[in-house]
Amino acid sequence: MSRSFLLLTILISTLLIFTSSVASRQIFISQREVTEIINADVAPVTKKHETCITEQKAFRGEVVQLQKGVDGLAEEIALIKKLIKAVKATIKDDHKTHKDKLHTLLTNLLKKLEAELAAARKNVKVAKKKLSTQKKECALIDSHREKYMAAIKLITMAEANMKYADTYIPQLKAAAAEYLRQYTELKNTESDHRATIAKHAQEIKNAKETHKQCTKDLNRLKTDKKNYETCANNLTSYTKKVNTCKAENEKAKTLHQTLSNASTKLNHKISTLKASAQNWKKLAEEYKPREEKPIEEEKIVQYTGPHTLCHSTGDPHYVSWTNKRFDIYGFEGDFVLAESPDEDFVVETRIAYQRNYANRGLNQGVAVQAEGIIFESLEGQLKIDGQVKNLAVGSTTNLRHGVTIKRVNAVTYLIITPDGGKVQFQQVKLTATFWYHQVYVYVPNAWVGKAKGLCAGNPPTAAQIKALQVTDQSKRKRIFGVAYNPPVGNHAVATLKWKNAGFEKEAQALCLKATGKDADLYHDCLMDAKVCGNLEMIKDYQEERKSIKDLEKQDAQMRAGPLGTAYRYLAHLLSELSVQSQQLKKYDVVKDLKSLKLDTNLAAQVEGIEARMNTEIHELRNLQQELALKITK
């Protein structure tokens, strides 16, 4: 290619010589000869370009063929994986020898196909790289060919220009002589004018520079004066802010270091707990049970962090944890209102029709599962683990695993769990045989977005509501002791009327005072007064509104500042560890290991890991409580 480029350079130089010496016709080589030389070099380049395109098509075909092979191997591997799953799922343990043999054969075949797939993908990558290289080479050859064709066009244009110049050069020479004479005269005159113009231009330039410098100095003086006044006014306040920032910065550095150390330690523990099966033996040795006393029930630390409220009231009205308001009409039965991420805390409500409410249901009952304890409020009775309980008003009962239940007043109960779930409900007597409930569910902020149920988020669709219904056909566990049986005769439409006009006005005034500007709570208060026919229950709304405000105030304190950020981070870690602990209990790994009857003490080691995990959860709750006390002081 270097010879061809040298020839192009010589041709361009020759064209310049043609232009400068066209009058004397000093042409050393003709257009035809130059064209023939270029065409002689173009022919092999064109042929090489065609060959390159042919090879490129061949490479492309090779890539397509190899890719088909890769797709085929991938399909075979997917089929083998399905066969392995089918063998595990369909062949019973009675044929374990044949099952293991078939599983081994399929696994070996899968490894072989995966190796072939990896090699085939590597070949595809190499072929694609060759194809890319070939494309670049073809493009380079085509670029050289285009340069040759451009040179031929330039030569043709140069020949035409020289013929045109032969006609007009004599006339131009005569005109040039005349112009040269006039030019000489004008040049002499111009020389004098230029000297005068240069002198004036220098004077103008000097004047502009002086004016420009004066303007800059004036503007700078004004800016400096303004800046000085601003700085003088703000210096005192900035000095105070700097001193305050320095003090806060030192506090933040100390807290950040403490939290970083705690975060590093906890993240390391979480990563260790998520290790694969082959590391269990090493983990068991690291987490060997200590010779220490087990954690006593009374030492369980209650969650004291910020909460989020959801409630189901009236016929029924809902406000979710994300503050979305909605109603559910046309449904009856048992539904999941709230379910914690680890499924250990569950709240179900029983929606039933009542003829006074037309086609709208009421919360006829509420059932709560907390740390394995079942609470059930139905038909005016409270049951704990299936036993009817008549708790004294104002009393608090401590149950196992740190769960407590308090009878706030004659109709209100409050259930509190150590993980932070709280349920408050009111039993309202509608008729001699029908009771309905106002239900309030408080959960830790860390649960929002992870917990399930009607309280979870946006207003649910009809399909989502049906999915949360508990029936004999659904996979969800029923908490209520007996299945829901639709009441006979309660679906007829009827209108509930006020006792009298004076009672209605008095109820409106008291409910407005008790509920403030909360429209939904106001509506529920009026409905309860109309149903019950008395005003005593309005006091419950006053107490509920006060408790909600107190909780919102506490939540605001928990969210504010770096301590609030640290508290939420610890709550997140505690939630993650609690979920993992519940998963170990749910799948009962220890029981499975013991059933294998192995010679090793692997089951005992896993029990040691569970014990250490429970200890870590307990210690983390203590740390969280200490931080909560600092925040609320």
Side-chain angles (χ1 to χ4, degrees), residues 155-301:
I155 292 170
T156 304
M157 292 174 59
E159 183 68 19
N161 289 336
M162 286 188 293
K163 289 180 181 179
Y164 178 80
D166 286 343
T167 304
Y168 288 98
I169 281 178
Q171 300 176 14
L172 293 175
K173 281 186 176 181
E178 178 61 22
Y179 290 151
L180 181 62
R181 183 185 64 79
Q182 294 178 7
Y183 171 74
T184 303
E185 293 178 357
L186 291 173
K187 192 174 183 180
N188 294 333
T189 304
E190 180 193 13
S191 179
D192 297 337
H193 286 305
R194 282 185 180 277
T196 304
I197 290 172
K199 182 179 178 181
H200 291 170
Q202 186 62 41
E203 291 175 355
I204 292 172
K205 183 179 179 180
N206 294 338
K208 286 182 177 179
E209 289 294 334
T210 302
H211 179 268
K212 184 177 180 181
Q213 187 62 38
C214 290
T215 303
K216 283 184 179 181
D217 293 341
L218 179 60
N219 291 336
R220 185 167 58 250
L221 181 61
K222 291 180 179 179
T223 303
D224 291 344
K225 183 179 180 181
K226 185 177 179 180
N227 291 340
Y228 175 79
E229 292 174 353
T230 303
C231 289
N233 293 332
N234 295 335
L235 181 59
T236 304
S237 61
Y238 285 164
T239 302
K240 292 181 180 179
K241 290 180 180 179
V242 167
N243 294 333
T244 304
C245 285
K246 285 181 179 179
E248 293 293 332
N249 187 42
E250 291 300 323
K251 294 180 181 178
K253 284 182 179 179
T254 304
L255 178 60
H256 178 267
Q257 186 61 40
T258 303
L259 295 178
S260 294
N261 295 337
S263 173
T264 302
K265 179 180 176 182
L266 292 173
N267 282 329
H268 174 70
K269 291 176 181 177
I270 292 172
S271 300
T272 303
L273 292 174
K274 291 181 179 179
S276 57
Q278 60 266 28
N279 292 329
W280 275 31
K281 187 174 182 179
K282 182 179 177 181
L283 281 173
E285 186 65 25
E286 180 182 348
Y287 284 90
K288 185 179 294 182
R290 301 171 180 171
E291 295 181 0
E292 56 187 10
K293 294 181 180 180
I295 299 172
E296 299 177 0
E297 291 293 332
E298 60 270 15
K299 292 184 179 179
I300 293 178
V301 179

Side-chain angles (χ1 to χ4, degrees), residues 45 80 89 98 119 124 164 174 248 275 317 353 431 523 626:
V45 172
I80 294 299
H98 298 288
V124 169
Y164 178 80
E248 293 293 332
H317 307 291
Y353 288 108
T431 66
H523 173 272
E626 291 177 6

Side-chain angles (χ1 to χ4, degrees), residues 233-475:
N233 293 332
N234 295 335
L235 181 59
T236 304
S237 61
Y238 285 164
T239 302
K240 292 181 180 179
K241 290 180 180 179
V242 167
N243 294 333
T244 304
C245 285
K246 285 181 179 179
E248 293 293 332
N249 187 42
E250 291 300 323
K251 294 180 181 178
K253 284 182 179 179
T254 304
L255 178 60
H256 178 267
Q257 186 61 40
T258 303
L259 295 178
S260 294
N261 295 337
S263 173
T264 302
K265 179 180 176 182
L266 292 173
N267 282 329
H268 174 70
K269 291 176 181 177
I270 292 172
S271 300
T272 303
L273 292 174
K274 291 181 179 179
S276 57
Q278 60 266 28
N279 292 329
W280 275 31
K281 187 174 182 179
K282 182 179 177 181
L283 281 173
E285 186 65 25
E286 180 182 348
Y287 284 90
K288 185 179 294 182
R290 301 171 180 171
E291 295 181 0
E292 56 187 10
K293 294 181 180 180
I295 299 172
E296 299 177 0
E297 291 293 332
E298 60 270 15
K299 292 184 179 179
I300 293 178
V301 179
Q302 294 285 344
Y303 174 87
T304 57
H307 288 79
T308 299
L309 170 64
C310 163
H311 58 75
S312 172
T313 57
D315 53 355
H317 307 291
Y318 294 84
V319 177
S320 70
W321 291 315
T322 57
N323 203 30
K324 301 295 183 182
R325 299 176 180 269
F326 57 93
D327 301 320
I328 292 181
Y329 300 145
F331 289 91
E332 60 179 333
D334 298 338
F335 296 87
V336 178
L337 181 63
E339 183 179 72
S340 63
D342 59 4
E343 302 178 3
D344 191 55
F345 174 76
V346 183
V347 181
E348 292 180 5
T349 55
R350 175 165 291 178
I351 301 177
Y353 288 108
Q354 213 285 332
R355 55 187 296 116
N356 289 337
Y357 278 74
N359 68 330
R360 301 180 181 182
L362 297 169
N363 291 323
Q364 184 187 25
V366 58
V368 181
Q369 172 187 290
E371 300 293 338
I373 305 172
I374 303 298
F375 302 87
E376 183 179 1
S377 176
L378 193 64
E379 298 177 353
Q381 287 186 333
L382 174 69
K383 292 182 180 180
I384 301 177
D385 286 337
Q387 301 296 318
V388 177
K389 300 291 183 181
N390 187 14
L391 305 180
V393 175
S395 66
T396 299
T397 304
N398 297 318
L399 304 173
R400 61 184 183 275
H401 307 310
V403 179
T404 63
I405 180 169
K406 179 180 180 180
R407 187 168 186 177
V408 181
N409 52 45
V411 297
T412 306
Y413 294 86
L414 174 63
I415 300 170
I416 302 176
T417 70
D419 285 339
K422 297 197 298 186
V423 183
Q424 182 168 306
F425 60 87
Q426 298 169 337
Q427 298 173 330
V428 181
K429 188 174 182 180
L430 187 61
T431 66
T433 59
F434 193 94
W435 299 69
Y436 80 97
H437 296 73
Q438 315 277 44
V439 186
Y440 304 85
V441 181
Y442 304 84
V443 298
N445 290 354
W447 288 11
V448 178
K450 299 177 182 178
K452 303 174 184 177
L454 294 173
C455 284
N458 293 325
T461 62
Q464 291 170 334
I465 295 172
K466 294 292 289 183
L468 292 171
Q469 186 171 9
V470 181
T471 64
D472 292 335
Q473 293 74 30
S474 68
K475 296 181 180 180

Side-chain angles (χ1 to χ4, degrees), residues 387-594:
Q387 301 296 318
V388 177
K389 300 291 183 181
N390 187 14
L391 305 180
V393 175
S395 66
T396 299
T397 304
N398 297 318
L399 304 173
R400 61 184 183 275
H401 307 310
V403 179
T404 63
I405 180 169
K406 179 180 180 180
R407 187 168 186 177
V408 181
N409 52 45
V411 297
T412 306
Y413 294 86
L414 174 63
I415 300 170
I416 302 176
T417 70
D419 285 339
K422 297 197 298 186
V423 183
Q424 182 168 306
F425 60 87
Q426 298 169 337
Q427 298 173 330
V428 181
K429 188 174 182 180
L430 187 61
T431 66
T433 59
F434 193 94
W435 299 69
Y436 80 97
H437 296 73
Q438 315 277 44
V439 186
Y440 304 85
V441 181
Y442 304 84
V443 298
N445 290 354
W447 288 11
V448 178
K450 299 177 182 178
K452 303 174 184 177
L454 294 173
C455 284
N458 293 325
T461 62
Q464 291 170 334
I465 295 172
K466 294 292 289 183
L468 292 171
Q469 186 171 9
V470 181
T471 64
D472 292 335
Q473 293 74 30
S474 68
K475 296 181 180 180
R476 296 186 176 276
K477 178 184 176 182
R478 176 181 285 109
I479 301 178
F480 283 99
V482 294
Y484 172 69
N485 186 23
V488 178
N490 279 350
H491 291 73
V493 176
T495 303
L496 182 65
K497 297 182 179 180
W498 285 97
K499 185 188 297 185
N500 53 63
F503 179 79
E504 180 183 2
K505 287 185 178 180
E506 188 176 2
Q508 289 175 347
L510 291 175
C511 284
L512 182 62
K513 182 179 179 181
T515 61
K517 297 181 180 180
D518 192 324
D520 289 335
L521 206 58
Y522 174 72
H523 173 272
D524 295 343
C525 179
L526 288 179
M527 185 62 68
D528 286 346
K530 182 188 291 186
V531 170
C532 298
N534 63 72
L535 305 176
E536 290 297 322
M537 41 68 62
I538 297 179
K539 296 179 181 179
D540 297 332
Y541 280 94
Q542 291 175 320
E543 294 176 2
E544 186 60 33
R545 185 186 177 198
K546 182 178 182 300
S547 64
I548 291 174
K549 285 188 175 181
D550 292 342
L551 186 60
E552 289 175 347
K553 182 179 179 181
Q554 182 184 10
D555 287 346
Q557 291 176 338
M558 290 295 183
R559 293 190 185 98
L563 290 178
T565 302
Y567 184 89
R568 292 195 297 275
Y569 179 68
L570 289 180
H572 174 72
L573 292 180
L574 180 59
S575 175
E576 293 291 335
L577 284 175
S578 298
V579 170
Q580 291 181 16
S581 176
Q582 291 297 329
Q583 291 295 324
L584 282 176
K585 294 178 182 177
K586 179 179 179 181
Y587 294 108
D588 204 350
V589 179
V590 175
K591 181 180 178 181
D592 292 339
L593 291 174
K594 287 180 178 180

